[in-house]
Amino acid sequence: MTVPLDITTDPAHGGRWTSLRAGGREWLWRRGAPERESVSPADPFVDAGGLEECVPTVRGTPDHGDAWSRAWTREADRESVDCDRFTLTRTIRRTADGAEADYVLAADPGFGFVWAAHALLDLSEGAAIHLPDGAGTRLYPEAAPLLDGGWPPGAPWVEGGWPAPRGLRLDRLGPDDGTAVGAVVDASRCCVHDGTDRLSLGVEADGQPVSVALWRNLGGFPAARPYRSTGVEPMLGRVFDLAEAGPGDAARVPAAGEVRWRLTLTTDCRCA
C-alpha cells in the first residue's frame, strides 16, 4: 500500500535531508553532531545522519564530497549549491505514490563525478535489503576479513553476486557484530523491508552509469567510538572514490554542460 512521503531539508547546513516520513514512521537515522553547525569546505566529514548529497565523490577527497559542507540556497521549490567546479540544483516534490527529486549538475563538458543519495536509514535488526539476485557487487577492503579467500594485493575492490558476494551475506542486517562493510551493486533500484514497512529507492539517468551503494555499519565504525548506521544509496557512478574510477565508472558532463537525473522514493515496494 502506498503511503505519502514527507521530506524536510536543511539548506543552510549542506542541503541535508533531515526527515523522510511516511505516516507515523521516520525512515532517516540521525545522530547528535553539534559541530556540523560550523563546518567549512574541505573540513573532515561530520556525520549527522539523514540523507547527504555526496558529490563529486563519496570516499576520497573531499571526504563525502563538496556539497555537504556548503550552504545551499532555496527559491520556491528549487534548492542549489555552488561548488568550485560545478553547480548542483534539485527540485523535490511529492507524487501520487511517494516523492521524487530531479537533479541538474552544471559543469564544464568532460567533468567526471560520482553522486550518491547517501541515505542513512533507521532500521531494526530484522530489516532486509532487496536487490536483484546475482547483481554484480563490488566489495571494499574493510570487508577482507569476512570473505571467502584472500584479498588480491593492491585491489581497490573485489566482485561477487548479490546477496552473498564472496560468501558475505549482505541482504540481512542482524545485531551489532563490530563490522562495517561498504558495497556497490549494479542495480538502479533497491527495496528495504522492515517489519510491515517498505521503502523503495531508485535512480534514473539517461546515458550515465547508475548503481546502489550499501553501507552496513554494525558497530564497526568509527574505530574510536563506533555506532550503528545503515546506508542505502542510489548512485550515479559505480565507485565510492572518484579517483578509483575506471572506464564507465563515473558520470560525465556532456557537451551541453549539464547532467540530469531523477531519484524516486515510494512505499509501494513490489519486490520479493
Side-chain angles (χ1 to χ4, degrees), residues 58-59 114 137-147 151-152 155-160 165-166 168 170 180-185 211-215 235 237-242 244-246 249:
V58 183
R59 299 183 182 181
V114 171
T137 303
R138 291 177 175 178
L139 291 168
Y140 284 77
E142 63 269 13
L146 308 174
L147 305 185
W151 190 271
W157 61 74
V158 297
E159 298 191 29
R166 300 293 181 103
L168 176 59
L170 291 177
V181 176
V184 176
V185 184
S211 61
V212 176
L214 175 67
W215 172 241
M235 294 182 69
R238 298 192 179 102
V239 289
F240 282 122
D241 189 344
L242 179 61
E244 296 177 344
D249 285 340

Side-chain angles (χ1 to χ4, degrees), residues 100-239:
E100 63 188 22
D102 286 329
Y103 291 84
V104 182
L105 184 140
D108 291 338
F111 177 69
F113 67 96
V114 171
W115 164 85
H118 187 281
L120 294 176
L121 302 182
D122 188 6
L123 302 177
S124 72
E125 293 182 359
I129 311 296
H130 290 259
L131 286 152
D133 284 348
T137 303
R138 291 177 175 178
L139 291 168
Y140 284 77
E142 63 269 13
L146 308 174
L147 305 185
D148 293 338
W151 190 271
W157 61 74
V158 297
E159 298 191 29
W162 182 268
R166 300 293 181 103
L168 176 59
R169 191 76 183 262
L170 291 177
D171 59 331
R172 303 285 172 171
L173 297 185
D176 289 0
D177 61 8
T179 67
V181 176
V184 176
V185 184
D186 187 12
S188 62
R189 179 165 292 277
C190 176
C191 290
V192 179
H193 293 198
D194 195 6
T196 60
D197 295 328
R198 303 288 186 267
L199 180 67
S200 175
L201 306 95
V203 60
E204 306 164 10
D206 290 341
Q208 303 290 347
V210 299
S211 61
V212 176
L214 175 67
W215 172 241
R216 195 189 69 174
N217 175 22
L218 303 179
F221 178 88
R225 300 180 65 183
Y227 49 80
R228 181 187 180 99
S229 59
T230 304
V232 178
E233 310 170 22
M235 294 182 69
L236 260 60
R238 298 192 179 102
V239 289

